[in-house]
Amino acid sequence: KPATNRRKHTTGNKIMSYPFHIVDTEQTISDEALSRILDDFIEVKAKNAKRILILPPDITRFYSKAGFISAYLYHALKEQAEIFFLPALGTHDPMSAKEIDVMFGPDIPKELFLPHKWRTDVQKFGEISSERMLELSEGKLDYTMDVAANKLLEEGNWDLIVSVGQIVPHEVIGMANYTKNILVGTGGSDTIHKSHFLGAVYGMERIMGQIDTPVRRALNEGFDQYLRHLPIEFILTVLGPKNDKLALQGVFCGDGEDTYVEACKLSQKLNLNLLDKPIQKAIVYLEPDEFKTTWLGNKSIYRTRMAMADDGELIVLAPALHRFGEDMAIDELIRKFGYKTTDETLEAVKNNPELANNLSAAAHLIHGTTDNRFNVTYCPGDGVTQEEIESVNYKYCHYNDMIKQYPLESLKDGWNTLPNGEEIFYVSNPALGLWSVKDKFISK
């Protein structure tokens, strides 16, 4: 779609005032309506841009509409501007050609997608002081934290940087995206390790689904102090269930914290699943294209943990699981230390320099533990063996054996009563929400 043919106005005879905070929970937002919103974004923020960097998520946020948004911006602006993509990978593997085609379409040249290398490609812009980190961690962490991001953000001489992504409850920071997409998604090892560990020691159940958390404050303060000179705009989506389907219900475009907060309020309404009673048996399915590691797949554990009953059973159906960490060095640490209790992992950090130097791995181990409160049975296909699963302290069942007992086609999201009278709770994608019994979640 040539930029010169863009529709100029969203409603009436003039473009709405920027920032755009658009919500439709009744009809929801169609691709056509989203295109009109993006046309107005272009008119206000991009019509004179000659060099543009787009920061989308990777395939693990396939359902975010970020692929549609990023591709639309590219096709609308490619005649007027040089455009590159820097997927906000964090520690994840670079996107494959197939994943790029699936998420963004096959007609964007692959050489425009630049890989983020979190161990080497970063520039330090500043730091959060040890005094502030001590305050944010309630006296538990006494060290500085880098405020860093991929060096291309500074060196690329961009007229516009567009950070695209979804607001959804998150285990490390409370609510995903906004400044996290920059400082973790394109961040470096120091920021990633220490921000994750800050969240872990503060307490995951105090953080998940909350708009304002210590990790969020650290990243927002660092971004505001050291990166505001960059021409970064955010396009944030909020999706939620509608008529048994996942639908886009909010689009928030802006560069300030108010845009993030308003998107979070909608996400809390749509993505928090507050139950009247705890779950005795939960079955969580991990989509093969999205979940290939426990690093990602353990969303099944931490997104449901506040809903699980004591001594309950969580069954994780993981047909594409092939290893533990997205990063091979972290994979080795997971295999070495396993998903033990929080206290055991914290003790290991004190006594093992290798783990102490990879605090995001330690945080992940804490996120993946049940602290012996409920049981987890991982059900991979042939990519991971029983010995490997049991070595990291989970129970094991082969995927093919478990789906004979619980056929996917017979399950719907939420409560199910099986023919034998057993009651189970099914989650088809743990990345899209947070589940808790009502008295465990209090919004702050």
Side-chain angles (χ1 to χ4, degrees):
K1 181 179 178 181
T4 53
N5 291 338
R6 291 195 304 270
R7 191 196 57 77
K8 296 296 186 184
H9 306 297
T10 298
T11 56
N13 296 316
K14 64 180 182 178
I15 295 171
M16 68 186 84
S17 61
Y18 194 82
F20 305 154
H21 297 168
I22 298 140
V23 176
D24 187 344
T25 56
E26 293 301 317
Q27 300 300 316
T28 72
I29 299 170
S30 66
D31 286 352
E32 181 182 4
L34 177 56
S35 299
R36 292 196 295 269
I37 294 167
L38 295 174
D39 286 341
D40 281 357
F41 175 84
I42 290 168
E43 191 69 20
V44 172
K45 288 295 176 180
K47 65 179 181 180
N48 297 317
K50 300 301 181 187
R51 281 181 56 80
I52 298 172
L53 181 65
I54 299 174
L55 308 177
D58 64 9
I59 196 73
T60 62
R61 285 279 188 264
F62 174 76
Y63 297 101
S64 63
K65 301 298 289 188
F68 178 97
I69 291 168
S70 301
Y72 189 93
L73 294 175
Y74 170 78
H75 289 295
L77 293 165
K78 65 181 180 180
E79 301 301 325
Q80 77 172 54
E82 284 186 287
I83 303 174
F84 291 90
F85 299 82
L86 181 67
L89 300 173
T91 62
H92 300 177
D93 283 337
M95 295 184 75
S96 67
K98 179 183 176 182
E99 288 174 339
I100 290 170
D101 287 348
V102 168
M103 188 156 180
F104 303 99
D107 49 355
I108 301 176
K110 300 298 184 293
E111 61 267 24
L112 300 182
F113 288 85
L114 311 174
H116 170 63
K117 299 175 183 176
W118 66 289
R119 295 185 187 277
T120 58
D121 288 356
V122 295
Q123 172 183 336
K124 180 178 176 180
F125 291 86
E127 66 181 25
I128 306 296
S129 70
S130 58
E131 292 81 10
R132 181 58 174 149
M133 289 295 288
L134 197 65
E135 184 178 25
L136 290 168
S137 66
E138 298 179 337
K140 296 182 178 71
L141 303 179
D142 185 13
Y143 50 52
T144 62
M145 184 179 81
D146 287 357
V147 178
N150 192 290
K151 59 188 178 183
L152 282 174
L153 272 65
E154 181 77 83
E155 296 175 0
N157 194 29
W158 310 106
D159 299 312
L160 177 64
I161 300 171
V162 186
S163 177
V164 185
Q166 181 184 4
I167 296 288
V168 69
H170 193 273
E171 63 282 355
V172 171
I173 194 168
M175 303 294 282
N177 227 273
Y178 185 48
T179 56
K180 177 182 177 291
N181 206 47
I182 310 296
L183 296 177
V184 172
T186 79
S189 57
D190 190 85
T191 312
I192 291 172
H193 287 318
K194 291 177 180 176
S195 63
H196 281 61
F197 200 60
L198 169 61
V201 300
Y202 184 78
M204 182 171 34
E205 294 190 11
R206 298 170 67 191
I207 281 180
M208 287 189 294
Q210 302 293 348
I211 296 173
D212 180 26
T213 70
V215 186
R216 172 59 65 188
R217 276 178 236 145
L219 295 187
N220 284 8
E221 289 169 15
F223 182 87
D224 288 343
Q225 187 169 358
Y226 299 111
L227 278 83
R228 279 293 174 189
H229 64 286
L230 297 173
I232 299 175
E233 296 289 335
F234 296 91
I235 300 179
L236 306 174
T237 64
V238 180
L239 293 90
K242 188 72 173 180
N243 300 324
D244 295 323
K245 293 182 179 179
L246 189 65
L248 180 64
Q249 301 188 46
V251 180
F252 300 80
C253 307
D255 68 353
E257 192 168 349
D258 59 328
T259 295
Y260 159 75
V261 170
E262 291 306 309
C264 287
K265 290 177 182 177
L266 180 61
S267 178
Q268 285 186 326
K269 292 178 182 177
L270 298 179
N271 303 136
L272 295 179
N273 303 279
L274 303 180
L275 309 180
D276 292 322
K277 63 180 181 179
I279 301 168
Q280 293 294 332
K281 182 174 283 188
I283 297 176
V284 181
Y285 179 69
L286 300 182
E287 176 70 38
D289 288 338
E290 190 172 353
F291 298 102
K292 300 179 177 68
T293 64
T294 57
W295 180 268
L296 296 173
N298 277 0
K299 284 183 171 63
S300 57
I301 299 172
Y302 43 73
R303 296 287 178 85
T304 62
R305 65 183 300 125
M306 290 194 289
M308 291 301 300
D310 291 349
D311 297 320
E313 183 179 8
L314 172 63
I315 296 169
V316 184
L317 301 175
L321 193 75
H322 69 276
R323 65 175 191 249
F324 299 118
E326 290 282 305
D327 176 85
M328 291 309 297
I330 289 177
D331 182 87
E332 290 181 13
L333 291 172
I334 295 171
R335 292 173 187 273
K336 181 175 180 178
F337 292 96
Y339 297 98
K340 298 179 182 177
T341 65
T342 297
D343 288 344
E344 287 174 296
T345 298
L346 292 175
E347 190 65 23
V349 170
K350 291 180 183 177
N351 297 326
N352 190 285
E354 187 180 13
L355 192 58
N357 289 328
N358 287 274
L359 289 174
S360 63
H364 169 75
L365 295 177
I366 291 171
H367 295 156
T369 185
T370 69
D371 282 317
N372 297 327
R373 190 174 67 78
F374 57 95
N375 299 305
V376 174
T377 301
Y378 246 98
C379 307
D382 296 328
V384 181
T385 67
Q386 178 174 354
E387 182 181 14
E388 288 176 295
I389 292 293
E390 292 177 346
S391 75
V392 297
N393 296 313
Y394 294 136
K395 295 181 179 180
Y396 170 87
C397 181
H398 195 282
Y399 174 78
N400 291 339
D401 294 331
M402 190 60 78
I403 62 170
K404 289 176 185 175
Q405 186 176 352
Y406 299 104
L408 291 177
E409 63 273 11
S410 68
L411 302 178
K412 68 179 190 302
D413 274 291
W415 295 107
N416 294 256
T417 301
L418 304 184
N420 64 2
E422 183 182 28
E423 185 179 60
I424 62 101
F425 192 92
Y426 178 62
V427 176
S428 62
N429 190 333
L432 303 178
L434 173 67
W435 290 261
S436 175
V437 289
K438 288 179 179 177
D439 60 358
K440 276 196 175 183
F441 184 86
I442 300 173
S443 180
K444 300 172 184 176

